[in-house]
Amino acid sequence: MTETAASAAVGPGRDRQGVVYRDGALGRRPAVPTAFGDLERAAQRASSKRAWAYVAGGAGEGRTMCNNRRAFDRWAIVPRMAHGVTERDLSSTVVNTSLSSPLLLAPVGAGALMAPDSDLAIASAAAATGTPYIFSNQGCNPMEDCAAAMGSASRWFQLYWSSDEELVDSLLHRAEAIGSEAVVVTLDTTMLGWRPQDLNLGSLPFARGEGIAQYTSDPRFRDIVRQRIDAAREMVAERPDITLGAIRTLMAMTRNHPGSFLDNLRSPVPRAAAETFLDIYSNPGLSWEHLATLRDRTRLPIVLKGILHPDDARRAVDLGVDAVVVSNHGGRQLDGSIASLDALLEIRAAIGREPTLLLDSGIRSGTDLFVALALGADAVLLGRPYMYGLAVAGQRGVEEVIRNVIAEFDLTMALTGARSIADIDERFVRPNPSF
Ligand SMILES: Cc1cc2nc3c(=O)[nH]c(=O)nc-3n(C[C@H](O)[C@H](O)[C@H](O)COP(=O)(O)O)c2cc1C
């Protein structure tokens, strides 16, 4: 090999290995474990029971989460040899956003369960690694603050369709104002799924004012809260039971609400905000008619998240949306649901090669990313793994998780002989004979 070819072989995979091994020679270890199983165990140790139940937990018996992983196990990568590929191009463009690798950070709400100012830490990590971050509608920091933490780096905004249409417009308007490059409407959470881990602890973060920062920072939402407080003054107030738990919840609401703790303690607003949120955060009657109004309400590209059936994907394409995220919400909504990866295959077959498809639910490593692309995804969303990085080592942990996934993806391309994102297709995979 010539020297030029040897240096060209360096990419994010070799770079990351170089950093880790050089640090190792100086006696330093990575901030987070580099394999998912170890990362998950470390994150559990670093988390409270309540946080772990919410972030790691799933719907019902956990069968959807299990399906998500088994779907990946059913595929095997078949590498090619002596391909001579030394230069790899991991870049691509989805929905007008330039990607340095086919990875975005999924919207994940109530992150402060894992670390304070979670969304700011994630936003900074995303910007530092050049990875677009999809701000959650259930974020713990207002989208304006996250955008400021990212400078000019790419961000999208994820919307839950509120039952208050003016709130929908207000959130869309703010998303445009912060330079969001797309709006992602999540369809699968018109109600919360049946989540035994949370139910057994009686724990719902939003009831404590966790994960409602996009609402408490919203002018329309604040108006609704004020109206609610005024209306309550005219009614005979129902006195809640005063228990230790009730006091703790009140303290949490007070702490999590913007503004000074003492002012909040004297104010009815934090409690009214949490209650209002629970009443209006989503519209159980969400329909295609609502979605059809989006084009006239925002200039942002539109992405629909949570689609699993080919007919729904066709309908989304017919509506003219810019992309679909094939997702089962990480198995948190419906137990016993089809794995996202299995749905991806059916959907890609139904709608053809052209429409942009993203995938999440079950991505744990760079090889998962490779398999998802080979089976028809244009890019993937990383979810729980980066939250685990956050739990273990804050912003640095998120950065390392992202860098590790991209490094392994790059090495997978190198070891299979894929030159570019467009090059990765079904030729590189086959049903796993060992499964
Ligand atoms: C703790 C947690 C909170 C989440 N919050 C949101 C959210 O606010 N909005 C949303 O669209 N999806 C949300 N999701 C779903 C993720 O966007 C993504 O679909 C999921 O994490 C993918 O599954 P995986 O993490 O197991 O790979 C959440 C997921 C988790 C784990």
Side-chain angles (χ1 to χ4, degrees):
M1 220 191 323
T2 65
E3 222 166 88
T4 337
S7 51
V10 174
R14 286 269 298 270
D15 285 351
R16 178 79 189 128
Q17 286 172 322
V19 168
V20 172
Y21 292 136
R22 263 196 311 279
D23 280 356
L26 299 172
R28 296 189 204 117
R29 296 280 175 275
V32 300
T34 52
F36 179 75
D38 297 330
L39 173 65
E40 189 174 36
R41 281 184 285 278
Q44 183 169 11
R45 282 194 298 275
S47 305
S48 69
K49 264 198 177 141
R50 217 165 57 75
W52 192 249
Y54 185 72
V55 178
E61 303 294 313
R63 283 173 298 188
T64 305
M65 288 198 294
C66 191
N67 289 347
N68 284 340
R69 289 305 307 154
R70 283 166 61 87
F72 278 96
D73 292 341
R74 276 198 296 274
W75 290 93
I77 297 171
V78 188
R80 303 307 303 266
M81 297 297 133
H83 44 69
V85 175
T86 55
E87 286 188 49
R88 299 168 297 285
D89 181 2
L90 276 61
S91 69
S92 62
T93 300
V94 294
V95 195
N96 287 338
T97 294
S98 304
L99 303 179
S100 53
S101 76
L103 187 77
L104 299 92
L105 298 190
V108 169
L113 286 166
M114 289 292 187
D117 279 332
S118 49
D119 301 25
L120 296 181
I122 297 162
S124 302
T129 56
T131 311
Y133 177 24
I134 308 176
F135 298 165
S136 165
N137 207 156
Q138 302 315 132
C140 293
N141 299 96
M143 62 179 105
E144 290 77 9
D145 296 356
C146 292
M150 292 190 80
S152 59
S154 290
R155 75 292 307 242
W156 294 2
F157 174 69
Q158 175 262 320
L159 176 82
Y160 281 127
W161 202 289
S162 167
S163 54
D164 184 86
E165 291 291 329
E166 279 184 56
L167 180 56
V168 171
D169 284 327
S170 179
L171 290 165
L172 287 171
H173 175 75
R174 289 171 63 199
E176 288 177 4
I178 59 151
S180 175
E181 292 174 34
V183 59
V184 178
V185 182
T186 297
L187 306 179
D188 56 22
T189 311
T190 49
M191 312 185 175
L192 275 190
W194 183 252
R195 299 180 183 170
Q197 287 91 336
D198 292 331
L199 290 164
N200 290 343
L201 297 175
S203 165
L204 181 65
F206 316 115
R208 297 163 51 97
E210 289 163 333
I212 61 170
Q214 310 301 7
Y215 298 83
T216 50
S217 57
D218 190 277
R220 169 62 190 160
F221 182 80
R222 289 206 203 128
D223 278 351
I224 304 171
V225 172
R226 265 192 297 272
Q227 286 163 15
R228 190 183 176 110
I229 291 171
D230 290 346
R233 279 201 187 107
E234 284 157 25
M235 288 173 7
V236 185
E238 210 181 285
R239 286 196 164 273
D241 287 350
I242 300 178
T243 62
L244 192 58
I247 293 169
R248 279 208 191 104
T249 303
L250 185 70
M251 288 298 140
M253 275 177 191
T254 308
R255 207 176 36 249
N256 291 321
H257 198 79
S260 104
F261 181 83
L262 281 181
D263 288 349
N264 287 341
L265 196 58
R266 288 186 216 108
S267 158
V269 173
R271 184 169 157 208
E275 287 170 357
T276 307
F277 162 78
L278 290 171
D279 280 352
I280 68 166
Y281 86 95
S282 83
N283 182 349
L286 180 66
S287 71
W288 289 100
E289 282 68 44
H290 290 94
L291 300 174
T293 66
L294 259 181
R295 269 282 178 242
D296 293 332
R297 295 167 79 167
T298 179
R299 56 182 160 76
L300 297 178
I302 297 164
V303 180
L304 298 185
K305 175 172 181 277
I307 284 184
L308 294 169
H309 195 292
D311 290 350
D312 286 345
R314 260 193 221 104
R315 188 133 191 198
V317 172
D318 291 346
L319 202 62
V321 306
D322 298 275
V324 160
V325 184
V326 179
S327 166
N328 56 32
H329 213 105
R332 301 164 65 76
Q333 282 300 93
L334 192 63
D335 194 21
S337 150
I338 184 170
S340 288
L341 190 69
D342 292 332
L344 172 73
L345 274 155
E346 293 179 7
I347 289 173
R348 186 52 94 193
I351 64 173
R353 191 48 242 174
E354 206 43 47
T356 302
L357 285 182
L358 309 181
L359 173 113
D360 75 25
S361 301
I363 298 287
R364 298 291 175 261
S365 68
T367 53
D368 293 342
L369 206 172
F370 186 88
V371 169
L373 262 54
L375 294 176
D378 294 293
V380 306
L381 274 47
L382 190 68
R384 288 186 177 95
Y386 82 75
M387 290 305 291
Y388 296 169
L390 179 72
V392 175
Q395 177 185 334
R396 176 155 173 226
V398 179
E399 279 182 37
E400 285 202 4
V401 168
I402 296 169
R403 291 191 204 285
N404 291 345
V405 170
I406 295 172
E408 194 187 10
F409 173 67
D410 177 46
L411 292 174
T412 308
M413 286 179 72
L415 293 170
T416 51
R419 278 170 216 280
S420 66
I421 300 308
D423 211 17
I424 302 171
D425 62 19
E426 67 284 350
R427 287 170 303 147
F428 285 109
V429 291
R430 56 168 295 193
N432 185 355
S434 313
F435 184 74

